[in-house]
Every structure is written in structure tokens, then in C-alpha cells.
Amino acid sequence: MSLTNQKPDLEDSINVTEAHGRVVREAAACARENRIVDNGIGHISLWSLVVCGIVAFIAGGVYFGSGAELFAYNTSFRPGYVRKPPGGAEDSGPVPKEALAAYMAKGSKIYSAKCNGCHGADAKGNGSTFPALAGGIWPNGETERFAMIILNGLEGPVDDGKTYGIMPPQGIGMAPEDLAGIMTYVRNNFGNTKGDVVTTEMAKAAIEMSAARKNAGKSVTGAELTADHMKNLPGEKMDPKMMLDPITLAPAKAP
Ligand code: HEC
């Protein structure tokens, strides 16, 4: 080992303690500085946020205080603009129907609910316990007689001279328009083609008449029908083509 390879002596002028202290202070100072950010996006300082907030607050105050209408949507309407109602909104009721069709539509529901079960969906009866209404003389004949059968029920014999049994009264809770509907329906369906309308007014008269019968509460008999009720119900005849409100059966308003 030669002398030239020896480490040189530290310079006498360097104060090691003092130099060490400086290195420590500088390292501490570096640590206090902001971190270096590699992607170039540093944290925004709190002060910048506070300043921006104050600026926005003042600017907003000035802007809205001056009556600006940036968010007022009423400025996007044309002045005096009135929204047009959608087409057809004026005639808001149901589509009017011809009287005969309107009464029959009502009657069809009553038939299904009240008569179908005995007289059958085709109104042909069953030949033994329930007579046919299709082609029958009584349903197609005088309206007062037909109404009295429905409202009070019937004890035979019926129009074909046969006795089928006892028909219970069907008039309990029946409104005049229901009675009018069922009568019109039977007289114009199942092959029956009377072509006339039994009106609500006529049905009202029938209900009053039924309540005033001397045998009120008892079924009518063929004899009573022939003696007292071989008539048409009082009331003005209705043009079967007259336009009606299909719900109320009142004359439809002119369009
Ligand atoms: C519970 C069964 C039953 C119901 C419901 C019923 N009927 Fe009858 N109907 C009869 C019977 C039974 C006779 C025959 C009575 C007799 O022999 O006297 C009859 C007879 C009749 C007659 C006489 C028939 C003719 O040709 O002379 C008419 C009209 C009639 N019914 C209409 C109706 C109508 C309209 C309804 C519905 C609103 C109705 N009936 C509901 C059982 C019923």
C-alpha cells in the first residue's frame, strides 16, 4: 500500500460542527417548501379560492341587482302569447250517438245483467221453463204491457198460451233510462225489428203506473195485462236518428 492512495486530510479551515448545522437547517427549509408536482398541477391555494369567491359574490350582486333576467324564463315567451287548446277540446263530451243506438247500448248492458240468465244470450228461452223474447208478441207489442212484465214479473200463461213458470220482478232499483234501454234493446235485437225508441219519459210513466197498480207488489198475470195494459206508454215519440249524448241520453248539444 503506497502513501499516494491515502485519503486527503480535511481542510483545517472547515468547521465540521458548523457545516453540519448548516446542512441540517437547509434540509429543514427544503422540507417546509411546497412539494414539487411532477404533472404540473399543483394545489390551488386557499387564498386564490377566497379571492375568487369574493369576486363572484360581488359580480353576482352587481349583475342581479341590476335587474338582469338571465334565468327569468318568462322572457322566452312572445308577449301576448296565448296557448291554443288542443283540437277537439271544446266538444269535451262523449261522441253523440243516434237515439236508437244509444238506447240499445244501454239496454244491452241491462240485458246481460238482468235477463240473460233466464231468457238466454240469444233471447230464445229454453222452450220449457223460460219463454223466448225473440219474436214474442208481448215484447214486440204494446209498450205498457211489456213494461209491466219487466217491472212486476209475470205469472203465466204468456202470449203463446203456455205457462213457463214465474218471472220475478226486475224493476227494483231500475232507473227510467235502464228500463227504456232494455225495452228498446229487446224490441230491436234478437231478430226483433220494431225500429222505435222507448224513451226515458215513457219509462218514467211506466214506473209510476206500476207503483199505482191495484195489485202492486204482485206479479202481473196475462189477464191483468189484457184488461189494463194493452196500450202504448204515454210520451212523445222520438226520432230514432236523433243525436243523443250516449251517457245521459239527453239530446246532444249542437256542435
Ligand atoms: C229468473 C228468471 C227470469 C229473469 C231474470 C227474467 N225473466 Fe222474463 N220470464 C221468465 C219466466 C219464467 C217467464 C214466463 C212466465 C210465465 O210463464 O208466466 C218470463 C216471461 C217474460 C216475458 C213474456 C214473454 C212472452 O213472450 O210473453 C217477457 C217479455 C220477459 N219475460 C222479459 C224479461 C226481461 C226483459 C227480463 C230482464 C229485464 C226478464 N224477463 C228477466 C223468467 C225470467
Side-chain angles (χ1 to χ4, degrees), residues 185-243:
Y185 179 69
V186 170
R187 289 163 72 85
N188 292 284
N189 203 30
F190 314 119
N192 299 338
T193 53
K194 289 302 290 182
D196 58 1
V197 175
V198 178
T199 65
T200 303
E201 185 196 3
M202 295 172 187
K204 228 177 244 166
I207 290 169
E208 281 162 20
M209 224 175 265
S210 169
R213 271 174 68 223
K214 54 182 180 293
N215 300 327
K218 283 202 205 133
S219 306
V220 290
T221 58
E224 184 190 334
L225 290 175
T226 308
D228 297 343
H229 301 295
M230 266 180 71
K231 290 173 275 174
N232 281 319
L233 289 164
E236 220 175 293
K237 283 205 171 73
M238 181 178 281
D239 175 4
K241 289 200 178 305
M242 179 179 178
M243 297 309 280

Side-chain angles (χ1 to χ4, degrees), residues 158-179:
V158 304
D159 56 7
D160 62 5
K162 286 207 279 177
T163 295
Y164 291 82
I166 294 178
M167 169 167 154
Q170 304 297 312
I172 300 146
M174 203 182 256
E177 50 271 34
D178 296 342
L179 178 60

